[in-house]
């Protein structure tokens, strides 16, 4: 008996330090996971997995897969999943850990468009959540389901599942789960084209990430908002949206550098290249191209598609045609390999490819890829329509008898006559009201609109700006076309009018909701911008200056003409629009003194 206790004591003394080391390493790994996934791998990989308990093996697998997912090392995660035999959980704690692990094991398959395998892992997680009777985890898994269905083009089904998830999670007191809910819903709204709601949800994610000191989540939120602003800005042709996209991409890139994640660096650099290529800021785009080419990263799946397509667009726009073809070949190779399981966010890339071929003058291939895009969009819409029809069929059947009774009552002759007379009276009344409205609208427009450019005149923009000044915290930009008198003197007033209208069109492209533009003098304009920071105001003016400078103006005879403009800026100062306008006007005078074609902040 004494010998037995001595052996037990020796075993405990030898084994206990390792147990403490394993527990400490795993706990430390959880603490670092969101901020430094690379360090997590360095901490846990020296551990001897075979000597760990069941719970610790599951925790080890969770940390290994989650860290590689965060770093974008999806092939490494998949190889681990497919070559590792996981232990069987026996108690509630181990089952809960297996649930979390199953979700992380689905992610690399989802990221590489292997949707069937991803769904099988989510199903395993859902079964465990049901076994544990955990509604929050069931809701969280449903969110993951919705994302997979959305990527496959089943938007109707995806949104219905997301609503189910929201019902399960809406009262959750777990801030991390609520943040995940907002993040996933934000991505769903983005894929459905509701950019405003997407950005609002991602802002909530960002607030929570800052409270949690999660660098990874902050980077993801900035990146998702940048994508929404970029798509929104391109579809609405609004410059301020593009400026906001630029700022969020730069914030996310800074955090990616802090995380030392080449995967996140690549994604944000691609966004910046796409943004500046679209805006024709090709020198800036070229700087980001050099940075992304210097990254040591293997592009795979959708990441490879984005990489090659965005670089092909950049090289095509910079007339480097000899470099375009290899990237085009890689893009086509992706579509051929993934034709049967193309995610919805890759479908639209076929339209961009068609536009690229058109810009290169190859209209035959442009037509081919545009037709492929249209066919796949129509196919997706048909699938969603079928889902909607199936969902609504029972409701229609329930309402059929009531509808038939209503139709019978409408067949009554007397009712028909009364209905006809009523409709006739309504039509006459509406016609008279519309005529009066048109007259009033025309008078209002004539009294408040500049006759040449069609934008607000000086009286209207100053009165409207004064009314809204404090409520919307307006900032001002006063713009003056450089050497405009010389243009009129040398080329005539017809050319001067063309220049005024072209400059107006450029500025209108930058306007979004709540922003106002007016002509306050011969060649002088006023832009008032609500709720904008000083940094955004400066970026707005610089972007507008570049667009005017690079625009191909022409005389009324078709001759090329170089036109630039000077800007005076005044940020909101809580005094009055008149005071602010004076400040902006003085800044404009300084810009002219500094040589024109620049901006000065007053």
């Amino acid at each position: 008996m004494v010998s037995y206790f001595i052996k037990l004591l020796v075993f405990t003394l030898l084994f206990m330090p390792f147990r403490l080391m394993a527990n400490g390493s795993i706990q430390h790994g959880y603490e670092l996971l969101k901020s430094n996934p690379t360090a997590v791998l360095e901490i846990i990989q020296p551990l001897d997995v075979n000597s760990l308990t069941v719970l610790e093996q599951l925790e080890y697998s969770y940390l290994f897969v989650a860290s590689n997912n965060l770093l974008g090392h999806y092939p490494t995660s998949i190889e681990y999943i497919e070559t590792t035999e996981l232990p069987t959980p026996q108690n509630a704690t181990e089952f809960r850990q297996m649930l979390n692990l199953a979700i992380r094991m689905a992610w690399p398959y989802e990221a590489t468009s292997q949707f069937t395998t991803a769904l099988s892992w989510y199903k395993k997680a859902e079964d465990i959540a049901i076994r544990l009777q955990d509604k929050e985890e069931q809701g969280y898994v449903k969110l993951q389901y919705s994302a997979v269905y959305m990527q496959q083009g089943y938007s109707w089904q995806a949104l219905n599942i997301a609503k189910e998830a929201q019902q399960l999670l809406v009262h959750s007191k777990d801030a991390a789960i609520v943040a995940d809910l907002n993040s996933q819903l934000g991505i769903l709204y983005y894929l459905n084209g509701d950019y405003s709601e997407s950005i609002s949800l991602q802002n909530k994610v960002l607030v929570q990430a800052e409270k949690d000191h999660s660098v990874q989540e902050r980077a993801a939120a900035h990146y998702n908002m940048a994508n929404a602003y970029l798509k929104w800005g391109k579809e609405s042709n609004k410059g301020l949206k593009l400026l906001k996209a630029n700022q969020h991409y730069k914030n996310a890139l800074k955090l990616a550098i802090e995380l030392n994640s080449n995967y996140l660096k690549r994604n944000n650099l691609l966004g910046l290249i796409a943004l500046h290529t679209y805006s024709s800021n090709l020198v800036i785009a070229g700087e980001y191209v050099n940075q992304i080419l210097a990254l040591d990263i293997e592009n795979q799946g959708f990441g490879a598609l984005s990489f090659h397509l965005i670089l092909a667009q950049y090289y095509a726009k910079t007339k480097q045609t000899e470099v375009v073809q290899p990237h085009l070949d890689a893009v086509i190779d992706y579509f051929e390999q993934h034709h049967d399981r193309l995610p919805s966010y890759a479908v639209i890339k076929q339209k961009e490819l068609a536009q690229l071929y058109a810009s290169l003058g190859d209209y035959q291939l442009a037509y081919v890829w545009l037709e492929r895009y249209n066919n796949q969009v129509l196919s997706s819409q048909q699938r969603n329509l079928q889902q909607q029809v199936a969902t609504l069929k029972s409701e229609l059947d329930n309402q059929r008898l009531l509808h038939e009774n209503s139709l019978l009552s409408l067949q009554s002759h007397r009712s028909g006559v009364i209905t006809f007379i009523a409709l006739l009276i309504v039509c006459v009344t509406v016609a008279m009201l519309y005529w009066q409205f048109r007259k009033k609208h025309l008078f209002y427009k004539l009294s408040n609109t500049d006759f040449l450019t069609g934008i607000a005149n000086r009286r209207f923009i100053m009165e409207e700006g004064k009314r809204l000044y404090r409520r919307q915290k307006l900032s001002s930009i006063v713009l003056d076309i450089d050497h405009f008198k010389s243009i009129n003197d040398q080329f005539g007033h017809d050319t001067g009018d063309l220049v005024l209208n072209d400059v107006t069109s450029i500025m209108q492209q930058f306007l979004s909701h709540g922003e106002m533009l007016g002509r306050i003098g011969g060649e002088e304009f006023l832009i008032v911008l609500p709720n904008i920071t000083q940094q955004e105001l400066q970026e707005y003016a610089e972007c507008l200056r570049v667009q005017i400078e690079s625009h191909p103006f022409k005389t009324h005879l078709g001759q090329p003409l170089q036109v630039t403009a000077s800007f005076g800026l005044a940020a909101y100062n809580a005094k009055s629009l008149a005071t602010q306008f004076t400040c902006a006007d003085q800044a404009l005078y300084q810009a002219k003194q500094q040589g024109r074609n620049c901006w000065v902040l007053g």
Side-chain angles (χ1 to χ4, degrees):
M1 181 66 70
V2 175
S3 175
Y4 168 78
F5 281 115
I6 292 173
K7 289 179 181 179
L8 180 62
L9 178 60
V10 170
F11 176 80
T12 303
L13 291 174
L14 289 174
F15 188 65
M16 186 60 72
F18 175 80
R19 301 283 336 111
L20 293 173
M21 182 187 74
N23 288 333
S25 297
I26 289 172
Q27 183 59 40
H28 193 200
Y30 274 101
E31 293 169 358
L32 288 175
L33 183 59
K34 289 188 175 182
S35 61
N36 194 345
T38 302
V40 175
L41 293 173
E42 294 173 354
I43 290 170
I44 66 170
Q45 283 180 322
L47 297 176
D48 180 7
V49 179
N50 294 326
S51 59
L52 300 178
T53 65
V54 170
L55 179 60
E56 288 169 345
Q57 288 182 52
L58 294 173
E59 290 173 332
Y60 176 95
S61 297
Y62 174 91
L63 290 172
F64 184 88
V65 174
S67 296
N68 279 291
N69 289 348
L70 290 172
L71 293 168
H73 300 161
Y74 300 123
T76 305
S77 290
I78 291 172
E79 181 183 5
Y80 179 85
I81 294 167
E82 296 180 353
T83 58
T84 302
E85 184 177 351
L86 296 172
T88 302
Q90 300 296 330
N91 55 51
T93 303
E94 292 169 0
F95 270 110
R96 188 169 296 280
Q97 186 60 44
M98 186 67 220
L99 184 154
N100 293 328
L101 174 58
I103 292 173
R104 270 64 188 180
M105 285 185 162
W107 286 357
Y109 292 103
E110 182 181 342
T112 54
S113 303
Q114 300 180 58
F115 300 123
T116 302
T117 307
L119 287 171
S120 69
W121 278 108
Y122 285 138
K123 180 67 170 63
K124 185 176 183 67
E126 184 180 37
D127 290 343
I128 296 174
I130 293 171
R131 175 180 179 144
L132 295 173
Q133 298 182 341
D134 190 325
K135 289 187 176 181
E136 284 193 353
E137 291 293 0
Q138 291 176 49
Y140 187 75
V141 175
K142 283 186 181 295
L143 268 184
Q144 314 308 315
Y145 274 128
S146 70
V148 175
Y149 283 115
M150 177 62 76
Q151 291 178 63
Q152 295 180 92
Y154 298 102
S155 57
W156 174 262
Q157 189 171 356
L159 285 173
N160 278 335
I161 294 173
K163 289 176 183 176
E164 293 176 18
Q166 190 172 24
Q167 290 173 357
L168 290 165
L169 295 174
V170 70
H171 298 300
S172 173
K173 292 181 170 53
D174 188 326
I177 286 182
V178 173
D180 284 336
L181 170 65
N182 289 330
S183 179
Q184 188 60 58
L185 287 174
I187 293 171
L188 287 171
Y189 279 114
Y190 164 76
L191 292 173
N192 263 331
D194 191 344
Y195 306 120
S196 177
E197 185 63 23
S198 174
I199 290 165
S200 174
L201 289 165
Q202 295 297 348
N203 258 316
K204 293 179 180 178
V205 176
L206 183 60
V207 169
Q208 185 60 45
E210 288 171 347
K211 289 180 180 177
D212 294 341
H213 305 291
S214 174
V215 180
Q216 176 70 37
E217 297 297 335
R218 285 167 57 202
H222 278 300
Y223 175 70
N224 288 332
M225 280 193 281
N227 286 337
Y229 274 121
L230 176 58
K231 197 88 176 290
W232 196 3
K234 289 170 73 173
E235 290 184 4
S236 61
N237 206 17
K238 302 299 184 184
L240 187 55
K241 300 287 186 299
L242 300 179
L243 287 173
K244 289 181 177 179
N246 181 59
Q247 190 58 52
H248 283 294
Y249 277 132
K250 289 197 293 187
N251 288 343
L253 179 60
K254 182 179 178 182
L255 294 168
I257 293 171
E258 184 179 336
L259 284 168
N260 194 29
S261 171
N262 283 347
Y263 159 70
L264 290 175
K265 292 179 198 174
R266 180 202 63 189
N267 287 355
N268 287 286
L269 286 171
L270 285 175
L272 288 164
I273 295 166
L275 168 63
H276 289 288
T277 299
Y278 173 79
S279 303
S280 297
N281 299 326
L282 300 179
V283 174
I284 298 174
E287 293 173 358
Y288 289 123
V289 168
N290 291 334
Q291 291 183 42
I292 203 168
L293 293 178
L295 285 180
D296 180 19
I297 188 170
E298 182 180 356
N299 295 297
Q300 294 182 334
F302 181 72
L305 170 64
S306 296
F307 175 83
H308 290 293
L309 182 56
I310 288 171
L311 287 189
Q313 291 167 334
Y314 165 76
Y315 288 128
K317 199 157 188 178
T318 54
K319 311 299 182 186
Q320 301 180 60
T321 52
E322 73 284 354
V323 195
V324 175
Q325 193 57 49
H327 291 288
L328 282 176
D329 292 341
V331 171
I332 294 169
D333 184 57
Y334 171 88
F335 285 122
E336 295 304 324
Q337 288 183 14
H338 298 79
H339 186 266
D340 295 333
R341 50 187 177 88
L342 200 63
S344 59
Y345 47 72
V347 171
I348 196 171
K349 297 299 181 182
Q350 294 173 116
K351 183 179 179 182
E352 293 183 28
L353 181 58
Q355 293 168 337
L356 178 55
Y357 272 121
S359 72
L360 294 170
D362 194 335
Y363 299 106
Q364 184 176 356
L365 279 176
Y367 174 78
V368 168
W369 285 100
L370 188 60
E371 187 176 35
R372 282 184 62 167
Y373 164 74
N374 288 332
N375 288 339
Q376 289 180 358
V377 169
L378 288 172
S379 176
S380 175
Q381 290 175 344
Q382 186 177 16
R383 291 197 304 268
N384 285 311
L385 181 60
Q386 289 171 349
Q387 293 169 3
Q388 293 179 49
V389 169
T391 303
L392 295 174
K393 184 177 181 299
S394 59
E395 296 179 19
L396 291 174
D397 288 340
N398 291 335
Q399 295 177 13
R400 179 171 51 83
L401 290 174
L402 181 62
H403 182 61
E404 288 175 352
N405 291 334
S406 177
L407 288 175
L408 287 173
S409 66
L410 288 173
Q411 290 174 358
S412 167
H413 176 70
R414 184 178 178 182
S415 177
V417 171
I418 294 173
T419 302
F420 174 77
I421 294 172
L423 286 173
L424 183 62
I425 294 171
V426 169
C427 289
V428 172
T429 304
V430 169
M432 292 179 64
L433 290 172
Y434 179 73
W435 180 73
Q436 292 179 351
F437 171 80
R438 286 293 301 274
K439 283 187 64 178
K440 183 178 180 181
H441 179 72
L442 180 61
F443 175 79
Y444 180 86
K445 185 175 181 181
L446 289 173
S447 63
N448 295 305
T449 303
D450 175 60
F451 73 97
L452 176 63
T453 60
I455 60 176
N457 58 23
R458 181 187 182 98
R459 181 188 64 81
F460 178 76
I461 194 170
M462 295 300 285
E463 287 182 356
E464 191 69 7
K466 182 179 179 181
R467 184 177 68 85
L468 299 173
Y469 184 75
R470 285 188 175 83
R471 189 170 64 194
Q472 296 191 358
K473 296 183 179 180
L474 300 178
S475 298
S476 301
I477 298 177
V478 179
L479 176 154
D480 188 272
I481 300 174
D482 295 332
H483 306 297
F484 185 73
K485 185 176 184 302
S486 299
I487 294 173
N488 276 333
D489 292 343
Q490 185 175 353
F491 302 103
H493 287 278
D494 287 342
T495 294
D497 290 347
L498 284 175
V499 170
L500 287 170
N501 279 307
D502 282 356
V503 170
T504 300
S505 296
I506 293 170
M507 290 188 290
Q508 285 176 320
Q509 293 174 7
F510 277 67
L511 296 181
S512 59
H513 181 70
E515 299 168 1
M516 292 185 291
L517 168 66
R519 185 182 176 199
I520 57 175
E523 68 274 28
E524 194 170 7
F525 298 84
L526 172 63
I527 306 172
V528 288
L529 306 160
N531 303 312
I532 188 171
T533 67
Q534 182 173 300
Q535 177 66 26
E536 290 174 332
L537 180 66
Q538 293 171 310
E539 291 178 352
Y540 191 106
E542 174 59 17
C543 195
L544 185 54
R545 184 196 68 79
V546 171
Q547 290 293 328
I548 293 174
E549 181 184 39
S550 60
H551 184 78
F553 290 92
K554 291 184 179 180
T555 69
H556 68 286
L557 298 176
Q559 301 166 300
L561 181 64
Q562 178 68 48
V563 175
T564 61
S566 301
F567 302 78
L569 283 56
Y572 175 75
N573 60 15
K575 292 183 180 179
S576 68
L577 182 64
T579 303
Q580 188 184 84
F581 175 73
T582 301
C583 180
D585 204 41
Q586 291 171 351
L588 172 63
Y589 177 79
Q590 293 176 33
K592 290 180 180 180
Q593 293 295 310
Q594 292 179 16
R596 294 183 168 85
N597 190 25
C598 64
W599 54 265
V600 170
L601 178 65

